[in-house]
Amino acid sequence: MKPKLTLKQIARELDVSVSTVSKALRDSPEISDDTRQKIQAFAKLYNYKPNNIALSLKNRRTKTIGLVLPEIVHDFFATVISGVEEVANKRGYNVLICLSNNSFDREVINLEMLANGSIDGFILSVAKETQQKGDYHHLEEVISQGMPVVMVDRVVNDIICDKVIIDDSDGARDAVQQLIDNGCRKIAIITTVDYISVGKLRTEGYLRALRNNDLEAEEDLILKIEDVENSHEEIAEFLSEREVDGIFAVNEQFATSAVKAVISQGLSVPDDVLVFSFSDGELSRRFIPSLSTVNQHGAEMGAKAADLLLDRIEKTTTDEKFQTAIVKTSLIERESTQKRKTLTV
Amino acid sequence: MKPKLTLKQIARELDVSVSTVSKALRDSPEISDDTRQKIQAFAKLYNYKPNNIALSLKNRRTKTIGLVLPEIVHDFFATVISGVEEVANKRGYNVLICLSNNSFDREVINLEMLANGSIDGFILSVAKETQQKGDYHHLEEVISQGMPVVMVDRVVNDIICDKVIIDDSDGARDAVQQLIDNGCRKIAIITTVDYISVGKLRTEGYLRALRNNDLEAEEDLILKIEDVENSHEEIAEFLSEREVDGIFAVNEQFATSAVKAVISQGLSVPDDVLVFSFSDGELSRRFIPSLSTVNQHGAEMGAKAADLLLDRIEKTTTDEKFQTAIVKTSLIERESTQKRKTLTV
C-alpha cells in the first residue's frame, strides 16, 4: 500500500492552495472548470481518497475527540484545554489536540486529518486567518457529513452547530464601568482589529459603558492592534502621545505592555492610571502590580463544549436544535485598579 | 461493529489500574497469574485487540506524528510545540498533541491511542508521575514494536531511543556564577523535588557553581518544592526566615513568587537581592522587573526532536545508534540582576 496522498501534497504538486484542492475535490463552483478537472484527474491518478466521514461515523466509535485551536501561547486556550480534558476524560474519552497556528491552510489540513476516522467529533476555535478570509467550506463540509462539531470562543455565526461563547461585550462593559466608578474619565482601549470577533465585541462593550455614563467616545483613544507579536512599541507610542486616567486592554499582553509604558513615563499604576485587563492568566495574577481582569472562565467554556459534544456523539440529547451556551464573565479586582493605600507592596 | 474497548474501560470494569491491564495483556511477570488470566479472559470475551504497531507501521504511513507532553500551562512546552510544528509542517507532516497532565495513567492511555495506527512515530516528555513511579513499560513496549520515539527534555536514561535535552546542570551553574560575579555571596535555590530530572540537574549546577567559587553550600538555603501549584506561600515563608542576597529559581513561577516575597519584605530586586530564573517565557520578559533567565531554547529543542524523529521514520539516517542531542542554554540578563542605575524604570 502506498503512503496516503494528502491535500497538501496535491496542492504542492499542482502549485495551488490547499483550499483550492479541497474545494475542487468537492466540485465547488468557486473553482474554474479547468483547475477542477486537473486536480480531480491528479487525485484519481494517485488514488486519493477523500474522507468518508459518514461511513466512518456509522461504523465505529473511537472514543476520541479532536480539539482544534488557533494557538496555545496564551493562557486562555490552555485553560480551555484543561476544561475539555477534564470532562472528556471523566466520560471516558481521549483528546487529540491540533494547532492551526492561526493559519487557514493548517486548519483545513487538521480537519482533514482528524475527520479521517480518528475521532468521533471535534471542538474548534477558528484561526485568525480563517476569520479574515471568511472561508468556512471545510467546516461546512464535515458538519454536512454528520460529524458533531462544537465551536468555542472564536465562533462563526453563519455556521450551524453548538457553540460556547462568553459575553465578551458585557464583560468589557462591566470592566469599563468599574474604571468609571473608580473615577476614570479619559479611558483608552487597546484592542484588536475588527475581524477578530472577540476584539470587536469587547470594543462594543467599551463604547456601551461610555455611552451609559454620558462620556464621549473619542476615536483618538481607541488603538486597534493588527500585529499582536510586535505590539509593545505601538502601545508605548500610543500612550506617550495621550493623557489618560484609565486603560482597558482586551488581553493580558496588551495590558502588561500598557503598564510598562505608563511606568516608563514616570507615572504610577494605579495611582495615576488604572488598568483593566481581559482574560485571567498567570501573567495577570503574577504581575506587579497584579492586574484586575475580566475572567473568561476558559476551563468552564472547555468543559461546557466537551459536554455539548459528547451529548451529541452519544445522542443523549434528543434536542435537534443547536444551542449557543453563554458562559458569564466575572470581574476580578486586583492591584492595578486599587488605590495605593490598599496595596500590599 | 461494537465500539472499541479501551484499556481504561477494562481497568474500570475489573477495578484494577490501567497499568495493570496494560501489563497483563503483555504477559508481564509483574502481574500475578490470577489477575493476568482474569484480564486476558475479559479482553478476549470483549474482543479487545491490543495494538499491532509493527503491522500498522509496515503497511502505511500516516504522515502524522504524535507529541505527548506533561502540561502546557508553562510557556516552555508551548515553545517546544512550536518548534516541533515548524519542522514537521515543513517536512509535510501533521502533529497530534496529547497531554498527560502529568498523570501516569493518561500517558499510558495516550500512547495506546496514538500507537493504534494514527501516527508514524512520536515525541514524548515524560509525566511527573511516571518519573516518580519509574514505570516505563508502555514506552518500552512501543519501542520494541518498532515505533520510532524521541524523548525531549524530561527523558529517561534507561530507555534506549533518540533524545533531546539541554545542559540543565551547566545552565544552572552559569546562572549562579553570574550571581556570584555580580556580588552575591548568600544564594538560595528554589528547586523541585529530586525525582524531577531537570530539577535535580539544576540543583547540581547550583552546587557546582558554589564549589567552583569556594562558597559553602548550605542545606538551609535549598528549598525543594513538591506542590508546585501552591508554592507561593512556601516560598514567601522560606525567604522571610533567611537573609540572602541572591536567588536562583529553577522556573519562572518560583522566580516571580520569590520577587514578590522579597518586595513584600520592603526590599528591592535587584538593589538588595538579585534573582535569576530558568526558562525564557512571557512571564520573564514581561515581569517588572524583567527577569534574568537561562534560555532553554524550547523551540530549538522541539525542532531538533522533530528532525531526529522524521529522519528515523524516513530512514534517511542509516545510523543505527541512537543519539542524545544537547541543546546549549544561554543566559539572558535583564533587570532582575542589574544594578538600579541601569534600570529603565
Side-chain angles (χ1 to χ4, degrees), chain A residues 97 106 109 253 256 286-287, chain B residues 94 97 253 256 286-287:
Chain A
I97 303 164
R106 287 232 62 80
I109 289 169
Q253 287 67 38
T256 53
R286 291 185 174 271
F287 208 65
Chain B
N94 300 312
I97 304 163
Q253 288 66 40
T256 53
R286 292 185 174 271
F287 208 65

Side-chain angles (χ1 to χ4, degrees), chain B residues 62-134:
Chain B
T62 61
K63 284 285 191 179
T64 301
I65 61 173
L67 177 55
V68 182
L69 296 177
E71 63 196 4
I72 50 158
V73 286
H74 297 155
D75 262 1
F76 171 66
F77 286 113
T79 62
V80 171
I81 293 175
S82 72
V84 170
E85 295 252 359
E86 201 189 325
V87 167
N89 294 343
K90 204 180 288 164
R91 292 179 66 167
Y93 284 74
N94 300 312
V95 181
L96 285 177
I97 304 163
C98 288
L99 300 181
S100 64
N101 293 323
N102 275 314
S103 144
F104 172 73
D105 277 1
R106 286 233 62 79
E107 192 173 272
V108 172
I109 289 170
N110 283 336
L111 285 203
E112 192 215 9
M113 168 178 59
L114 285 176
N116 225 339
S118 329
I119 57 162
D120 298 335
F122 63 86
I123 298 168
L124 171 117
S125 192
V126 177
K128 186 173 158 180
E129 199 189 4
T130 306
Q131 291 196 315
Q132 197 172 6
K133 277 177 182 272

Side-chain angles (χ1 to χ4, degrees), chain B residues 188-253:
Chain B
I189 179 172
I190 304 174
T191 184
T192 58
V193 283
D194 276 344
Y195 62 77
I196 305 290
S197 56
V198 298
K200 190 178 174 189
L201 288 168
R202 291 172 197 173
T203 307
E204 279 171 22
Y206 158 82
L207 294 171
R208 209 143 43 92
L210 296 184
R211 258 199 318 276
N212 292 346
N213 294 271
D214 296 321
L215 292 172
E216 204 180 334
E218 298 174 46
E219 198 63 54
D220 187 53
L221 293 182
I222 300 174
L223 175 61
K224 293 185 182 178
I225 303 270
E226 168 90 46
D227 178 8
V228 176
E229 293 313 308
N230 298 303
S231 55
H232 195 73
E233 289 71 26
E234 200 177 342
I235 291 171
E237 194 186 322
F238 173 82
L239 291 174
S240 74
E241 291 162 354
R242 283 153 187 86
E243 214 169 279
V244 301
D245 54 14
I247 298 168
F248 172 59
V250 303
N251 63 43
E252 298 183 293
Q253 288 66 40

Side-chain angles (χ1 to χ4, degrees), chain A residues 1 3-4 6 8-9 12 59-61 63-64 72-75 78 81 85 89-90 93-99 101 106 109 113-114 232 253 256-257 259-260 263 282-283 285-288 290 345, chain B residues 1 3-4 6 8-9 12 59-61 63-64 72-75 78 81 85 89-90 93-99 101 106 109 113-114 232 253 256-257 259-260 263 282-283 285-288 290 345:
Chain A
M1 200 169 127
K4 186 176 174 320
T6 65
K8 197 173 175 182
Q9 287 168 315
R12 198 161 34 196
N59 285 335
R60 58 187 227 131
R61 286 278 172 261
K63 283 285 191 182
T64 301
I72 51 160
V73 286
H74 296 155
D75 262 3
I81 292 174
E85 294 251 0
N89 294 343
K90 203 179 288 163
Y93 284 75
N94 300 312
V95 181
L96 286 176
I97 303 164
C98 287
L99 300 182
N101 292 323
R106 287 232 62 80
I109 289 169
M113 169 178 61
L114 286 176
H232 197 73
Q253 287 67 38
T256 53
S257 290
V259 172
K260 282 218 174 188
I263 291 177
E282 194 162 42
L283 209 45
R285 285 192 299 277
R286 291 185 174 271
F287 208 65
I288 302 176
S290 57
V345 175
Chain B
M1 199 169 130
K4 185 176 175 320
T6 65
K8 197 173 176 180
Q9 287 169 315
R12 197 161 34 196
N59 286 337
R60 58 185 227 130
R61 287 278 172 260
K63 284 285 191 179
T64 301
I72 50 158
V73 286
H74 297 155
D75 262 1
I81 293 175
E85 295 252 359
N89 294 343
K90 204 180 288 164
Y93 284 74
N94 300 312
V95 181
L96 285 177
I97 304 163
C98 288
L99 300 181
N101 293 323
R106 286 233 62 79
I109 289 170
M113 168 178 59
L114 285 176
H232 195 73
Q253 288 66 40
T256 53
S257 290
V259 172
K260 282 219 174 186
I263 291 178
E282 193 162 43
L283 208 46
R285 285 193 299 278
R286 292 185 174 271
F287 208 65
I288 302 176
S290 56
V345 175

Side-chain angles (χ1 to χ4, degrees), chain A residues 66-70 76-77 79-81 83-84 107 122-127 131 139 149-156 159 161-166 168 197-198 296-306 308-309 323-327:
Chain A
L67 176 56
V68 181
L69 296 177
F76 171 66
F77 286 113
T79 60
V80 171
I81 292 174
V84 170
E107 192 173 273
F122 64 86
I123 298 168
L124 171 117
S125 192
V126 177
Q131 290 196 315
L139 278 167
V149 172
V150 176
M151 299 186 87
V152 64
D153 195 51
R154 293 204 203 152
V155 305
V156 180
I159 300 283
C161 65
D162 291 315
K163 290 164 196 165
V164 181
I165 55 174
I166 55 159
D168 280 288
S197 55
V198 297
Q296 282 178 277
H297 301 290
E300 204 181 308
M301 291 178 79
K304 182 69 193 171
L308 283 173
L309 182 66
Q323 60 167 298
T324 295
I326 299 173
V327 172

